[in-house]
mmCIF file of all heavy atoms in Angstrom:
data_model
loop_
_atom_site.group_PDB
_atom_site.id
_atom_site.type_symbol
_atom_site.label_atom_id
_atom_site.label_comp_id
_atom_site.label_asym_id
_atom_site.label_seq_id
_atom_site.Cartn_x
_atom_site.Cartn_y
_atom_site.Cartn_z
ATOM 1 N N ALA A 1 16.343 -4.629 97.256
ATOM 2 C CA ALA A 1 16.571 -3.757 98.417
ATOM 3 C C ALA A 1 15.309 -3.610 99.253
ATOM 4 O O ALA A 1 15.385 -3.446 100.474
ATOM 5 C CB ALA A 1 17.059 -2.384 97.947
ATOM 6 N N GLU A 2 14.163 -3.699 98.602
ATOM 7 C CA GLU A 2 12.882 -3.553 99.300
ATOM 8 C C GLU A 2 12.509 -4.816 100.066
ATOM 9 O O GLU A 2 11.895 -4.749 101.134
ATOM 10 C CB GLU A 2 11.793 -3.244 98.266
ATOM 11 C CG GLU A 2 10.393 -3.124 98.807
ATOM 12 C CD GLU A 2 9.368 -2.927 97.696
ATOM 13 O OE1 GLU A 2 9.724 -2.372 96.635
ATOM 14 O OE2 GLU A 2 8.212 -3.348 97.884
ATOM 15 N N GLU A 3 12.927 -5.979 99.558
ATOM 16 C CA GLU A 3 12.448 -7.244 100.110
ATOM 17 C C GLU A 3 13.470 -7.998 100.961
ATOM 18 O O GLU A 3 13.082 -8.863 101.753
ATOM 19 C CB GLU A 3 11.986 -8.151 98.960
ATOM 20 C CG GLU A 3 10.807 -7.566 98.194
ATOM 21 C CD GLU A 3 10.401 -8.389 96.980
ATOM 22 O OE1 GLU A 3 11.241 -9.186 96.481
ATOM 23 O OE2 GLU A 3 9.255 -8.252 96.525
ATOM 24 N N TYR A 4 14.768 -7.675 100.821
ATOM 25 C CA TYR A 4 15.799 -8.476 101.495
ATOM 26 C C TYR A 4 16.797 -7.614 102.265
ATOM 27 O O TYR A 4 17.050 -6.458 101.923
ATOM 28 C CB TYR A 4 16.584 -9.302 100.463
ATOM 29 C CG TYR A 4 15.798 -10.398 99.787
ATOM 30 C CD1 TYR A 4 15.099 -10.147 98.608
ATOM 31 C CD2 TYR A 4 15.752 -11.680 100.329
ATOM 32 C CE1 TYR A 4 14.384 -11.155 97.971
ATOM 33 C CE2 TYR A 4 15.036 -12.691 99.704
ATOM 34 C CZ TYR A 4 14.358 -12.426 98.530
ATOM 35 O OH TYR A 4 13.647 -13.428 97.904
ATOM 36 N N ASP A 5 17.391 -8.229 103.300
ATOM 37 C CA ASP A 5 18.516 -7.647 104.032
ATOM 38 C C ASP A 5 19.783 -8.408 103.631
ATOM 39 O O ASP A 5 19.809 -9.650 103.684
ATOM 40 C CB ASP A 5 18.308 -7.774 105.542
ATOM 41 C CG ASP A 5 17.185 -6.887 106.046
ATOM 42 O OD1 ASP A 5 17.095 -5.721 105.595
ATOM 43 O OD2 ASP A 5 16.391 -7.350 106.888
ATOM 44 N N PRO A 6 20.840 -7.694 103.219
ATOM 45 C CA PRO A 6 22.048 -8.365 102.732
ATOM 46 C C PRO A 6 23.117 -8.573 103.802
ATOM 47 O O PRO A 6 23.176 -7.849 104.794
ATOM 48 C CB PRO A 6 22.553 -7.387 101.670
ATOM 49 C CG PRO A 6 22.188 -6.041 102.223
ATOM 50 C CD PRO A 6 20.897 -6.233 102.982
ATOM 51 N N SER A 7 23.953 -9.583 103.581
ATOM 52 C CA SER A 7 25.196 -9.751 104.341
ATOM 53 C C SER A 7 26.278 -10.137 103.342
ATOM 54 O O SER A 7 26.042 -10.926 102.426
ATOM 55 C CB SER A 7 25.046 -10.804 105.439
ATOM 56 O OG SER A 7 24.720 -12.064 104.883
ATOM 57 N N TYR A 8 27.466 -9.555 103.538
ATOM 58 C CA TYR A 8 28.539 -9.699 102.547
ATOM 59 C C TYR A 8 29.377 -10.937 102.826
ATOM 60 O O TYR A 8 29.794 -11.174 103.957
ATOM 61 C CB TYR A 8 29.421 -8.453 102.568
ATOM 62 C CG TYR A 8 30.324 -8.320 101.360
ATOM 63 C CD1 TYR A 8 29.799 -8.084 100.106
ATOM 64 C CD2 TYR A 8 31.702 -8.438 101.488
ATOM 65 C CE1 TYR A 8 30.623 -7.949 98.998
ATOM 66 C CE2 TYR A 8 32.535 -8.299 100.398
ATOM 67 C CZ TYR A 8 31.990 -8.056 99.152
ATOM 68 O OH TYR A 8 32.808 -7.935 98.052
ATOM 69 N N GLU A 9 29.612 -11.724 101.778
ATOM 70 C CA GLU A 9 30.406 -12.954 101.908
ATOM 71 C C GLU A 9 31.820 -12.790 101.346
ATOM 72 O O GLU A 9 32.636 -13.694 101.474
ATOM 73 C CB GLU A 9 29.705 -14.107 101.183
ATOM 74 C CG GLU A 9 28.265 -14.363 101.618
ATOM 75 C CD GLU A 9 28.154 -14.875 103.036
ATOM 76 O OE1 GLU A 9 29.164 -15.343 103.570
ATOM 77 O OE2 GLU A 9 27.060 -14.793 103.615
ATOM 78 N N GLY A 10 32.081 -11.675 100.685
ATOM 79 C CA GLY A 10 33.402 -11.449 100.098
ATOM 80 C C GLY A 10 33.371 -11.470 98.580
ATOM 81 O O GLY A 10 32.321 -11.592 97.961
ATOM 82 N N GLU A 11 34.552 -11.346 97.979
ATOM 83 C CA GLU A 11 34.658 -11.436 96.534
ATOM 84 C C GLU A 11 34.775 -12.900 96.127
ATOM 85 O O GLU A 11 35.310 -13.721 96.866
ATOM 86 C CB GLU A 11 35.870 -10.653 96.028
ATOM 87 C CG GLU A 11 35.718 -9.151 96.147
ATOM 88 C CD GLU A 11 36.873 -8.415 95.492
ATOM 89 O OE1 GLU A 11 37.780 -9.086 94.929
ATOM 90 O OE2 GLU A 11 36.872 -7.176 95.531
ATOM 91 N N ALA A 12 34.250 -13.217 94.936
ATOM 92 C CA ALA A 12 34.290 -14.594 94.445
ATOM 93 C C ALA A 12 34.520 -14.591 92.948
ATOM 94 O O ALA A 12 34.062 -13.694 92.233
ATOM 95 C CB ALA A 12 32.985 -15.314 94.769
ATOM 96 N N LYS A 13 35.244 -15.583 92.471
ATOM 97 C CA LYS A 13 35.466 -15.745 91.031
ATOM 98 C C LYS A 13 34.342 -16.593 90.461
ATOM 99 O O LYS A 13 33.945 -17.602 91.029
ATOM 100 C CB LYS A 13 36.810 -16.415 90.760
ATOM 101 C CG LYS A 13 38.018 -15.578 91.151
ATOM 102 C CD LYS A 13 38.144 -14.320 90.276
ATOM 103 C CE LYS A 13 38.554 -14.639 88.853
ATOM 104 N NZ LYS A 13 38.763 -13.419 88.038
ATOM 105 N N LEU A 14 33.828 -16.153 89.330
ATOM 106 C CA LEU A 14 32.799 -16.894 88.620
ATOM 107 C C LEU A 14 33.216 -16.905 87.156
ATOM 108 O O LEU A 14 32.950 -15.964 86.410
ATOM 109 C CB LEU A 14 31.431 -16.237 88.805
ATOM 110 C CG LEU A 14 30.193 -17.079 88.500
ATOM 111 C CD1 LEU A 14 30.110 -18.274 89.429
ATOM 112 C CD2 LEU A 14 28.926 -16.245 88.620
ATOM 113 N N GLY A 15 33.906 -17.986 86.764
ATOM 114 C CA GLY A 15 34.490 -18.018 85.430
ATOM 115 C C GLY A 15 35.538 -16.929 85.319
ATOM 116 O O GLY A 15 36.420 -16.798 86.169
ATOM 117 N N LYS A 16 35.412 -16.087 84.300
ATOM 118 C CA LYS A 16 36.375 -15.000 84.092
ATOM 119 C C LYS A 16 36.003 -13.739 84.875
ATOM 120 O O LYS A 16 36.724 -12.736 84.828
ATOM 121 C CB LYS A 16 36.470 -14.665 82.604
ATOM 122 C CG LYS A 16 35.177 -14.141 82.006
ATOM 123 C CD LYS A 16 35.348 -13.838 80.525
ATOM 124 C CE LYS A 16 34.039 -13.289 79.916
ATOM 125 N NZ LYS A 16 34.191 -12.996 78.470
ATOM 126 N N TYR A 17 34.888 -13.782 85.602
ATOM 127 C CA TYR A 17 34.390 -12.595 86.294
ATOM 128 C C TYR A 17 34.779 -12.606 87.776
ATOM 129 O O TYR A 17 34.887 -13.662 88.398
ATOM 130 C CB TYR A 17 32.860 -12.521 86.188
ATOM 131 C CG TYR A 17 32.347 -12.438 84.776
ATOM 132 C CD1 TYR A 17 31.876 -13.575 84.123
ATOM 133 C CD2 TYR A 17 32.336 -11.231 84.087
ATOM 134 C CE1 TYR A 17 31.408 -13.512 82.816
ATOM 135 C CE2 TYR A 17 31.870 -11.148 82.779
ATOM 136 C CZ TYR A 17 31.404 -12.295 82.153
ATOM 137 O OH TYR A 17 30.943 -12.237 80.862
ATOM 138 N N THR A 18 34.956 -11.406 88.325
ATOM 139 C CA THR A 18 35.107 -11.231 89.769
ATOM 140 C C THR A 18 33.820 -10.594 90.270
ATOM 141 O O THR A 18 33.366 -9.579 89.738
ATOM 142 C CB THR A 18 36.306 -10.325 90.096
ATOM 143 O OG1 THR A 18 37.492 -10.926 89.574
ATOM 144 C CG2 THR A 18 36.452 -10.166 91.603
ATOM 145 N N ALA A 19 33.230 -11.206 91.287
ATOM 146 C CA ALA A 19 31.907 -10.769 91.722
ATOM 147 C C ALA A 19 31.861 -10.511 93.216
ATOM 148 O O ALA A 19 32.644 -11.061 93.997
ATOM 149 C CB ALA A 19 30.871 -11.841 91.362
ATOM 150 N N HIS A 20 30.932 -9.625 93.618
ATOM 151 C CA HIS A 20 30.559 -9.490 95.018
ATOM 152 C C HIS A 20 29.588 -10.635 95.326
ATOM 153 O O HIS A 20 28.600 -10.820 94.623
ATOM 154 C CB HIS A 20 29.835 -8.159 95.265
ATOM 155 C CG HIS A 20 30.692 -6.948 95.088
ATOM 156 N ND1 HIS A 20 31.794 -6.699 95.871
ATOM 157 C CD2 HIS A 20 30.596 -5.911 94.212
ATOM 158 C CE1 HIS A 20 32.344 -5.554 95.491
ATOM 159 N NE2 HIS A 20 31.642 -5.061 94.489
ATOM 160 N N LEU A 21 29.862 -11.383 96.377
ATOM 161 C CA LEU A 21 28.960 -12.465 96.789
ATOM 162 C C LEU A 21 28.244 -12.038 98.062
ATOM 163 O O LEU A 21 28.876 -11.696 99.067
ATOM 164 C CB LEU A 21 29.743 -13.751 97.025
ATOM 165 C CG LEU A 21 28.965 -14.945 97.600
ATOM 166 C CD1 LEU A 21 27.780 -15.317 96.703
ATOM 167 C CD2 LEU A 21 29.881 -16.147 97.797
ATOM 168 N N MET A 22 26.902 -12.033 97.997
ATOM 169 C CA MET A 22 26.103 -11.639 99.152
ATOM 170 C C MET A 22 25.037 -12.683 99.437
ATOM 171 O O MET A 22 24.521 -13.324 98.521
ATOM 172 C CB MET A 22 25.425 -10.288 98.898
ATOM 173 C CG MET A 22 26.374 -9.111 98.832
ATOM 174 S SD MET A 22 25.481 -7.516 98.682
ATOM 175 C CE MET A 22 24.850 -7.659 97.020
ATOM 176 N N THR A 23 24.713 -12.829 100.715
ATOM 177 C CA THR A 23 23.560 -13.634 101.127
ATOM 178 C C THR A 23 22.442 -12.673 101.510
ATOM 179 O O THR A 23 22.671 -11.735 102.283
ATOM 180 C CB THR A 23 23.901 -14.532 102.324
ATOM 181 O OG1 THR A 23 24.890 -15.496 101.921
ATOM 182 C CG2 THR A 23 22.668 -15.289 102.809
ATOM 183 N N LEU A 24 21.257 -12.901 100.954
ATOM 184 C CA LEU A 24 20.116 -12.034 101.220
ATOM 185 C C LEU A 24 19.053 -12.821 101.977
ATOM 186 O O LEU A 24 18.708 -13.938 101.580
ATOM 187 C CB LEU A 24 19.520 -11.503 99.910
ATOM 188 C CG LEU A 24 20.488 -10.919 98.870
ATOM 189 C CD1 LEU A 24 19.705 -10.389 97.676
ATOM 190 C CD2 LEU A 24 21.357 -9.837 99.477
ATOM 191 N N LYS A 25 18.530 -12.233 103.049
ATOM 192 C CA LYS A 25 17.462 -12.869 103.826
ATOM 193 C C LYS A 25 16.231 -11.973 103.791
ATOM 194 O O LYS A 25 16.336 -10.756 103.972
ATOM 195 C CB LYS A 25 17.924 -13.120 105.262
ATOM 196 C CG LYS A 25 19.051 -14.153 105.339
ATOM 197 C CD LYS A 25 19.425 -14.497 106.765
ATOM 198 C CE LYS A 25 20.517 -15.565 106.792
ATOM 199 N NZ LYS A 25 20.929 -15.919 108.180
ATOM 200 N N VAL A 26 15.076 -12.587 103.555
ATOM 201 C CA VAL A 26 13.850 -11.817 103.375
ATOM 202 C C VAL A 26 13.523 -11.010 104.635
ATOM 203 O O VAL A 26 13.758 -11.453 105.764
ATOM 204 C CB VAL A 26 12.679 -12.749 103.003
ATOM 205 C CG1 VAL A 26 12.296 -13.665 104.165
ATOM 206 C CG2 VAL A 26 11.471 -11.951 102.522
ATOM 207 N N LYS A 27 12.997 -9.808 104.435
ATOM 208 C CA LYS A 27 12.589 -8.960 105.549
ATOM 209 C C LYS A 27 11.295 -9.492 106.168
ATOM 210 O O LYS A 27 10.496 -10.135 105.482
ATOM 211 C CB LYS A 27 12.392 -7.526 105.052
ATOM 212 C CG LYS A 27 13.685 -6.858 104.590
ATOM 213 C CD LYS A 27 13.437 -5.434 104.128
ATOM 214 C CE LYS A 27 14.747 -4.774 103.725
ATOM 215 N NZ LYS A 27 14.555 -3.369 103.294
ATOM 216 N N PRO A 28 11.078 -9.235 107.436
ATOM 217 C CA PRO A 28 9.857 -9.725 108.109
ATOM 218 C C PRO A 28 8.587 -9.225 107.403
ATOM 219 O O PRO A 28 8.498 -8.058 107.021
ATOM 220 C CB PRO A 28 9.975 -9.125 109.516
ATOM 221 C CG PRO A 28 11.443 -8.905 109.718
ATOM 222 C CD PRO A 28 11.982 -8.525 108.375
ATOM 223 N N GLY A 29 7.639 -10.139 107.234
ATOM 224 C CA GLY A 29 6.350 -9.773 106.667
ATOM 225 C C GLY A 29 6.294 -9.652 105.165
ATOM 226 O O GLY A 29 5.248 -9.302 104.610
ATOM 227 N N VAL A 30 7.396 -9.948 104.481
ATOM 228 C CA VAL A 30 7.436 -9.848 103.019
ATOM 229 C C VAL A 30 7.232 -11.231 102.409
ATOM 230 O O VAL A 30 7.857 -12.205 102.833
ATOM 231 C CB VAL A 30 8.774 -9.248 102.532
ATOM 232 C CG1 VAL A 30 8.831 -9.226 101.007
ATOM 233 C CG2 VAL A 30 8.961 -7.850 103.095
ATOM 234 N N ASP A 31 6.363 -11.328 101.415
ATOM 235 C CA ASP A 31 6.069 -12.609 100.753
ATOM 236 C C ASP A 31 6.893 -12.730 99.477
ATOM 237 O O ASP A 31 6.743 -11.925 98.555
ATOM 238 C CB ASP A 31 4.574 -12.693 100.420
ATOM 239 C CG ASP A 31 4.193 -14.070 99.861
ATOM 240 O OD1 ASP A 31 4.912 -15.046 100.123
ATOM 241 O OD2 ASP A 31 3.173 -14.140 99.145
ATOM 242 N N VAL A 32 7.792 -13.696 99.447
ATOM 243 C CA VAL A 32 8.629 -13.945 98.273
ATOM 244 C C VAL A 32 8.651 -15.443 97.989
ATOM 245 O O VAL A 32 8.273 -16.249 98.835
ATOM 246 C CB VAL A 32 10.079 -13.435 98.476
ATOM 247 C CG1 VAL A 32 10.123 -11.924 98.587
ATOM 248 C CG2 VAL A 32 10.712 -14.082 99.710
ATOM 249 N N ALA A 33 9.110 -15.809 96.792
ATOM 250 C CA ALA A 33 9.183 -17.222 96.438
ATOM 251 C C ALA A 33 10.262 -17.937 97.240
ATOM 252 O O ALA A 33 10.085 -19.089 97.650
ATOM 253 C CB ALA A 33 9.446 -17.376 94.947
ATOM 254 N N TYR A 34 11.382 -17.243 97.477
ATOM 255 C CA TYR A 34 12.509 -17.862 98.174
ATOM 256 C C TYR A 34 13.008 -16.911 99.258
ATOM 257 O O TYR A 34 13.442 -15.790 98.955
ATOM 258 C CB TYR A 34 13.638 -18.181 97.187
ATOM 259 C CG TYR A 34 13.198 -19.066 96.055
ATOM 260 C CD1 TYR A 34 12.954 -18.532 94.785
ATOM 261 C CD2 TYR A 34 12.991 -20.427 96.238
ATOM 262 C CE1 TYR A 34 12.536 -19.339 93.733
ATOM 263 C CE2 TYR A 34 12.569 -21.240 95.199
ATOM 264 C CZ TYR A 34 12.345 -20.691 93.953
ATOM 265 O OH TYR A 34 11.925 -21.484 92.919
ATOM 266 N N PRO A 35 12.997 -17.325 100.526
ATOM 267 C CA PRO A 35 13.359 -16.428 101.626
ATOM 268 C C PRO A 35 14.848 -16.153 101.773
ATOM 269 O O PRO A 35 15.235 -15.196 102.442
ATOM 270 C CB PRO A 35 12.817 -17.143 102.857
ATOM 271 C CG PRO A 35 12.764 -18.586 102.472
ATOM 272 C CD PRO A 35 12.454 -18.611 101.002
ATOM 273 N N VAL A 36 15.693 -16.986 101.169
ATOM 274 C CA VAL A 36 17.143 -16.792 101.255
ATOM 275 C C VAL A 36 17.743 -16.890 99.847
ATOM 276 O O VAL A 36 17.444 -17.837 99.106
ATOM 277 C CB VAL A 36 17.810 -17.831 102.185
ATOM 278 C CG1 VAL A 36 19.327 -17.599 102.243
ATOM 279 C CG2 VAL A 36 17.212 -17.778 103.583
ATOM 280 N N LEU A 37 18.561 -15.904 99.507
ATOM 281 C CA LEU A 37 19.235 -15.889 98.203
ATOM 282 C C LEU A 37 20.739 -15.733 98.401
ATOM 283 O O LEU A 37 21.184 -15.095 99.354
ATOM 284 C CB LEU A 37 18.754 -14.707 97.345
ATOM 285 C CG LEU A 37 17.262 -14.485 97.141
ATOM 286 C CD1 LEU A 37 17.052 -13.224 96.317
ATOM 287 C CD2 LEU A 37 16.615 -15.680 96.463
ATOM 288 N N LYS A 38 21.487 -16.302 97.491
ATOM 289 C CA LYS A 38 22.906 -15.988 97.353
ATOM 290 C C LYS A 38 23.078 -15.387 95.963
ATOM 291 O O LYS A 38 22.676 -16.008 94.975
ATOM 292 C CB LYS A 38 23.785 -17.234 97.515
ATOM 293 C CG LYS A 38 23.969 -17.679 98.946
ATOM 294 C CD LYS A 38 25.032 -18.769 99.070
ATOM 295 C CE LYS A 38 25.251 -19.146 100.536
ATOM 296 N NZ LYS A 38 26.306 -20.188 100.670
ATOM 297 N N VAL A 39 23.641 -14.183 95.888
ATOM 298 C CA VAL A 39 23.767 -13.510 94.597
ATOM 299 C C VAL A 39 25.223 -13.157 94.317
ATOM 300 O O VAL A 39 25.956 -12.743 95.215
ATOM 301 C CB VAL A 39 22.888 -12.237 94.529
ATOM 302 C CG1 VAL A 39 21.415 -12.592 94.584
ATOM 303 C CG2 VAL A 39 23.238 -11.251 95.628
ATOM 304 N N TRP A 40 25.603 -13.356 93.071
ATOM 305 C CA TRP A 40 26.917 -12.991 92.576
ATOM 306 C C TRP A 40 26.734 -11.780 91.662
ATOM 307 O O TRP A 40 26.092 -11.885 90.597
ATOM 308 C CB TRP A 40 27.544 -14.136 91.792
ATOM 309 C CG TRP A 40 28.091 -15.271 92.605
ATOM 310 C CD1 TRP A 40 29.411 -15.537 92.852
ATOM 311 C CD2 TRP A 40 27.356 -16.329 93.254
ATOM 312 N NE1 TRP A 40 29.541 -16.682 93.615
ATOM 313 C CE2 TRP A 40 28.291 -17.193 93.877
ATOM 314 C CE3 TRP A 40 25.991 -16.619 93.362
ATOM 315 C CZ2 TRP A 40 27.911 -18.317 94.586
ATOM 316 C CZ3 TRP A 40 25.598 -17.725 94.081
ATOM 317 C CH2 TRP A 40 26.550 -18.568 94.684
ATOM 318 N N VAL A 41 27.289 -10.621 92.056
ATOM 319 C CA VAL A 41 27.136 -9.387 91.292
ATOM 320 C C VAL A 41 28.467 -9.025 90.658
ATOM 321 O O VAL A 41 29.476 -8.837 91.357
ATOM 322 C CB VAL A 41 26.657 -8.230 92.196
ATOM 323 C CG1 VAL A 41 26.442 -6.963 91.366
ATOM 324 C CG2 VAL A 41 25.379 -8.617 92.927
ATOM 325 N N ASP A 42 28.497 -8.950 89.344
ATOM 326 C CA ASP A 42 29.716 -8.643 88.604
ATOM 327 C C ASP A 42 30.259 -7.276 89.024
ATOM 328 O O ASP A 42 29.551 -6.269 88.948
ATOM 329 C CB ASP A 42 29.415 -8.663 87.099
ATOM 330 C CG ASP A 42 30.646 -8.379 86.253
ATOM 331 O OD1 ASP A 42 31.773 -8.555 86.751
ATOM 332 O OD2 ASP A 42 30.466 -7.980 85.084
ATOM 333 N N LYS A 43 31.513 -7.223 89.471
ATOM 334 C CA LYS A 43 32.109 -5.961 89.900
ATOM 335 C C LYS A 43 32.282 -4.999 88.734
ATOM 336 O O LYS A 43 32.245 -3.785 88.921
ATOM 337 C CB LYS A 43 33.474 -6.217 90.564
ATOM 338 C CG LYS A 43 33.402 -6.870 91.919
ATOM 339 C CD LYS A 43 34.773 -6.904 92.594
ATOM 340 C CE LYS A 43 35.246 -5.512 92.962
ATOM 341 N NZ LYS A 43 36.535 -5.553 93.693
ATOM 342 N N GLY A 44 32.449 -5.559 87.529
ATOM 343 C CA GLY A 44 32.669 -4.702 86.364
ATOM 344 C C GLY A 44 31.409 -4.029 85.866
ATOM 345 O O GLY A 44 31.342 -2.806 85.730
ATOM 346 N N SER A 45 30.366 -4.823 85.618
ATOM 347 C CA SER A 45 29.137 -4.298 85.017
ATOM 348 C C SER A 45 28.074 -3.915 86.042
ATOM 349 O O SER A 45 27.180 -3.110 85.753
ATOM 350 C CB SER A 45 28.545 -5.335 84.056
ATOM 351 O OG SER A 45 28.052 -6.457 84.768
ATOM 352 N N GLY A 46 28.127 -4.506 87.239
ATOM 353 C CA GLY A 46 27.092 -4.259 88.234
ATOM 354 C C GLY A 46 25.860 -5.127 88.045
ATOM 355 O O GLY A 46 24.871 -4.966 88.765
#
């Protein structure tokens, strides 16, 4: 949350899990290893 701004891509299946799929883009002036991430967050466990 401190380093990236999110955009929502929708729900996605990952094996037996249903996940929130988001694309994260690094905030201006923040140094990270990868400036763009795609993350799958399990709706059940978080």
